Amino acid sequence: MSTREMTMVEALRDGLRVAMLSDPAVFLIGEDLGIPGGFGGGFTVTLGLSDEFGHARVMDTPISEIAIVGAAVGAALVGMRPVAEMQYGDFVFCAMDQVVNQAAKMHYMSNGQVSVPMVLRLPVGASARGAQHAQSTEAWFMHTPGLKVVCPSNPYDAKGLLLAAIRDNNPVVFLEHKLLYGGKGGRKESSSAAKVVSVPEEDYEIPLGTVAVKRQGSDLTLLANMLMLHRAMDAAQELDQQGVHAEVIDMRCLVPLDMQPLIASAQKTGRVLIVEEDNLTGGWGAEVAARLSEAVFFHLDAPITRVAAPDTPAPTAPVLEHEYVPSVQRVVAAALKLVAG
Amino acid sequence: MTGSDNFPLETAREMYRRMVLIRRFEDHLYALFLQGAVPGTLHQYQGQEAVAVGVCIALRPDDVIFSTHRPVGHLLARGSSPRGIAAEIMGKATGCAGGKGGQMHLTDVTVGAMPSNAIVGANIPIATGAALAFQLRGQDRVAVSFFGDGASNIGAFHEGINLAAVKNAPVIFVCENNQYGASTAISSMLRITDIADRAAAYGIPGRVVDGMDVLAVHHAVLEAVERARQGNGPTLLECKTYRYAGHSRGDPGGYRTRDEVQRWRERDPISHMRALLITERGMAEEELISIENACQSEVEEAVEFARNSPEPGIEETYLHVFKERQ
């Protein structure tokens, strides 16, 4: 299998390319996706694809989020597999009816007569742009029956999960953290977590409904997704030096959620720390904590704990944003407290 | 009233039959509703039959329609079974959506009726998306979006029609202006007289059509469909019509006068078509009565079927949330 070093942007672009080459039903729809001389979408993911596939299959739209998602729903209903992009994940709130009342419910309301195989790509995460370009939105969609929710942490997973999402027969909300893109060109996002990794150029899928154990450990379990997975891994290294061995699990798919590896890990370590960039109240971590305590309560040596963004909008000034987004130091401190307790 | 000379007698006759079928179905369902035999709510279509029938008879079997919270007329006009619709409204397993949709979410893909939509205006961008799919695949199929006057003030109307316009999508936007959004007169919520005028803002044709005249609707739709199939883009048709019933169950319509209702009833689409078939096409009254009786029997049989049908199994609650990969 030939591989290439790819950033997450490149891996996502490669995934879209592979999907479009393998199935004429796949097309892209969104703002600024294929304009000559333009951006290639909010973060260059679709750059160059209109040259290869034309402007019909890389469909640029007006600034009309309702129409973007609605058109994707309609196209999916008659057999296409659209991949819709919101320029920023926060903009999806303009189109919530189309996501929640339409995409998510059509299969059910029609008793299975129709289905909505579409992907909705959302760039998420705080990145010094202020509260309306920052939100992590996974919990909103996790709460809606009929939607799948995917949130990769690295280029390899991003490509494999994207291909699986496009070929899934349901609406899939696909979150991409801006600080993990590692985009090249004018809209490069800087972050030490945006690693370049070897990604197969071939067609491969990572099944939805899977989590990934990234690191073995015996003292506590860290559950994290997207950027927070990297914070958790960095924290685990620091904890190692203090003699605390953390297991780290990448929560790369929240719906469907595979609880089994989480249960097994919690039974092994007896302590669980959830790390999320979402706001604390009603975040995905709250649901996971509830399910875990039902499953493994008597195996736990300490309460399940969360490190999350506070219940405030995302502030903009770097010093404030740093306070808002969970840091490695906060994760380490919370882990040490948990282990000591 | 538009003359029927251009139409084959068979088509004109079928238009009449479908309008009568809708009227009888809706009247019968309402009577049952008053007896407590129908769960939930009803949004009835009496008075608007010419729109559904004039539109749907102009379509091919491979075209698709996107209906509203008032979908019975559209589905019957499209040829969906009265049995499946009655059973769906009565919450039975034999309903066209297995009882999971209900009165506002009728679906019958066998006649190209996509899930009808109870969010006002939401099907406008969705129908546009279906039309874009046909365009991408090089098919000459069209999509129809039905919506009411009230939908012309929701954001999805603007976004959906504009997208269809800039992409030349083969979609026909059928606004059924029945004068009221629930209890609110549309005239009090618009500074223009004709919603069709809004088409100019999107650079597409907009036409006011007499929605009480099935032939007028049909002519206008044929033209719009032809235009869409040839790749010339969408059309906005505003069909001026009237709903005889209240907005939904238990709405006596206290916000409108008896005179107003009477004036519209005098232009009843079914009575007018009936007169025209006799005077212009020489149909015998006996033949029309026979059509009407057949419709009545079909409706009564459908309702009987629905009443005798089993309720869905409890396990159905959990099915069709997700579709498995084959």
Side-chain angles (χ1 to χ4, degrees):
Chain A
M1 207 182 235
S2 69
T3 62
R4 189 156 52 89
E5 299 292 298
M6 295 188 202
T7 62
M8 190 181 281
V9 160
E10 290 168 325
L12 289 166
R13 186 184 301 140
D14 202 49
L16 292 174
R17 221 183 134 257
V18 168
M20 292 177 85
L21 286 171
S22 69
D23 185 354
V26 177
F27 75 102
L28 316 182
I29 181 167
E31 296 157 13
D32 303 298
L33 299 186
I35 304 288
F39 311 139
F43 294 89
T44 73
V45 171
T46 59
L47 198 64
L49 293 179
S50 62
D51 297 334
E52 186 172 356
F53 297 101
H55 293 280
R57 283 183 81 190
V58 182
M59 190 183 289
D60 285 300
T61 69
I63 302 171
S64 299
E65 279 76 18
I66 297 170
I68 293 167
V69 181
V73 171
L77 284 172
V78 296
M80 302 297 281
R81 291 186 177 274
V83 181
E85 177 182 300
M86 297 284 102
Q87 202 153 77
Y88 284 81
D90 312 67
F91 304 170
V92 75
F93 296 115
C94 297
M96 278 305 254
D97 171 62
Q98 290 294 337
V99 182
V100 174
N101 274 321
Q102 311 300 335
K105 295 178 182 174
M106 290 281 185
H107 185 60
Y108 190 83
M109 293 194 304
S110 70
N111 205 29
Q113 289 182 74
V114 298
S115 56
V116 186
M118 62 173 280
V119 175
L120 181 58
R121 295 184 37 245
L122 306 180
V124 300
S127 60
R129 289 173 166 93
Q132 294 177 340
H133 292 66
Q135 195 162 348
S136 292
T137 54
E138 50 268 52
W140 287 82
F141 302 110
M142 199 179 176
H143 187 66
T144 302
L147 300 177
K148 295 190 176 182
V149 180
V150 178
C151 40
S153 69
N154 64 77
Y156 178 84
D157 284 3
K159 178 177 171 183
L161 287 166
L162 181 61
L163 280 161
I166 291 171
R167 291 161 182 165
D168 197 89
N169 286 324
N170 302 284
V172 179
V173 179
F174 195 94
L175 295 95
E176 302 163 4
H177 200 289
K178 294 191 275 290
L179 295 184
L180 297 180
Y181 273 137
K184 289 180 175 163
R187 294 171 73 82
K188 180 174 165 59
E189 295 297 313
S190 59
S191 159
S192 60
K195 294 188 176 68
V196 173
V197 305
S198 271
V199 176
E201 293 187 298
E202 280 81 6
D203 188 338
Y204 68 95
E205 294 180 26
I206 294 174
L208 305 188
T210 60
V211 297
V213 178
K214 304 301 279 190
R215 192 181 193 282
Q216 301 280 343
S218 52
D219 297 326
L220 84 161
T221 301
L222 302 180
L223 306 179
N225 67 343
M226 299 191 286
L227 180 66
M228 292 303 106
L229 186 273
H230 298 269
R231 300 268 157 99
M233 291 294 281
D234 290 350
Q237 270 199 350
E238 284 195 25
L239 288 165
D240 254 352
Q241 289 160 16
Q242 305 193 41
V244 174
H245 305 296
E247 183 143 301
V248 180
I249 300 182
D250 185 351
M251 303 290 289
R252 65 190 180 188
C253 184
L254 293 170
V255 182
L257 178 56
D258 184 7
M259 285 299 296
Q260 222 38 57
L262 313 185
I263 290 169
S265 181
Q267 284 173 339
K268 181 171 82 173
T269 65
R271 292 177 169 87
V272 178
L273 177 63
I274 295 167
V275 188
E276 55 183 328
E277 190 177 321
D278 206 351
N279 299 108
L280 181 73
T281 299
W284 64 261
E287 175 62 27
V288 170
R291 289 195 203 182
L292 269 179
S293 42
E294 284 170 19
V296 299
F297 185 77
F298 294 106
H299 291 86
L300 293 174
D301 298 319
I304 298 171
T305 304
R306 291 170 292 160
V307 173
D311 288 333
T312 70
T316 312
V319 64
L320 300 181
E321 190 179 89
H322 181 75
E323 171 67 15
Y324 173 86
V325 179
S327 62
V328 174
Q329 291 68 33
R330 270 181 69 195
V331 177
V332 169
L336 289 174
K337 193 174 163 200
L338 197 57
V339 173
Chain B
M1 193 87 190
T2 313
S4 68
D5 295 350
N6 298 338
F7 287 83
L9 183 58
E10 254 328 290
T11 308
R13 199 187 126 96
E14 183 57 17
M15 286 176 171
Y16 182 70
R17 190 190 72 80
R18 291 194 200 184
M19 288 198 293
V20 172
L21 183 65
I22 295 168
R23 178 72 55 90
R24 298 294 174 103
F25 186 97
E26 293 288 56
D27 285 348
H28 198 66
L29 257 282
Y30 190 59
L32 280 174
F33 184 84
L34 293 178
Q35 294 165 25
V38 181
T41 187
L42 284 183
H43 297 82
Q44 297 220 293
Y45 200 68
Q46 294 99 325
Q48 302 180 216
E49 294 90 345
V51 182
V53 172
V55 171
C56 290
I57 284 192
L59 302 178
R60 287 196 322 226
D62 62 342
D63 296 328
V64 292
I65 64 164
F66 292 84
S67 179
T68 67
H69 57 287
R70 202 179 300 287
V72 167
H74 303 140
L75 268 83
L76 287 175
R78 195 67 181 145
S80 188
S81 153
R83 282 180 162 206
I85 297 172
E88 186 62 33
I89 293 172
M90 295 175 84
K92 298 302 181 74
T94 53
C96 58
K100 299 243 274 282
Q103 183 264 304
M104 290 190 273
H105 303 298
L106 303 179
T107 307
D108 185 355
V109 295
T110 66
V111 299
M114 291 291 154
S116 65
N117 209 311
I119 305 297
V120 167
N123 78 26
I124 295 173
I126 295 174
T128 297
L132 288 170
F134 300 151
Q135 186 187 60
L136 273 167
R137 294 197 290 242
Q139 298 170 317
D140 69 345
R141 300 162 68 184
V142 303
V144 172
S145 162
F146 287 103
F147 51 90
D149 42 278
S152 69
N153 285 334
I154 204 163
F157 172 94
H158 170 68
E159 291 196 15
I161 297 182
N162 185 57
L163 179 66
V166 296
K167 299 294 177 190
N168 253 3
V171 53
I172 295 98
F173 299 110
V174 179
C175 175
E176 299 188 63
N177 182 350
N178 66 16
Q179 317 301 321
Y180 292 87
S183 67
T184 303
I186 192 63
S187 56
S188 67
M189 293 297 157
L190 285 175
R191 285 289 294 267
I192 54 176
T193 307
D194 297 321
I195 291 165
D197 286 353
R198 291 194 167 173
Y202 308 107
I204 65 168
R207 279 190 57 187
V208 174
V209 181
D210 181 357
M212 304 303 271
D213 179 347
V214 67
L215 297 175
V217 173
H218 193 60
H219 276 302
V221 174
L222 281 175
E223 201 175 298
V225 166
E226 189 55 24
R227 184 184 152 79
R229 287 205 207 287
Q230 286 178 356
N232 295 321
T235 303
L236 171 60
L237 298 176
E238 180 191 3
C239 302
K240 306 268 193 192
T241 183
Y242 203 75
R243 68 167 147 74
Y244 295 165
H247 166 67
S248 60
R249 65 175 179 138
D251 166 20
Y255 42 86
R256 49 192 200 181
T257 65
R258 199 164 290 185
D259 269 3
E260 178 184 297
V261 178
Q262 192 48 41
R263 278 201 307 280
W264 282 93
R265 278 185 178 275
E266 280 163 13
R267 304 188 49 235
D268 183 70
I270 296 176
S271 307
H272 278 75
M273 187 65 176
R274 193 178 200 275
L276 184 137
L277 285 170
I278 292 171
T279 55
E280 287 192 21
R281 305 306 295 263
M283 273 184 75
E285 179 144 32
E286 293 73 33
E287 195 183 347
L288 293 167
I289 291 171
S290 142
I291 289 172
E292 290 150 12
N293 290 340
C295 287
Q296 186 65 31
S297 303
E298 192 177 353
V299 165
E300 286 174 15
E301 191 278 334
V303 167
E304 213 37 44
F305 166 82
R307 294 188 89 154
N308 294 329
S309 288
E311 293 183 316
I314 298 305
E315 69 283 358
E316 281 294 325
T317 307
Y318 306 98
L319 301 181
H320 301 118
V321 178
F322 291 109
K323 183 180 182 185
E324 293 303 313
R325 237 175 117 164
Q326 270 87 36

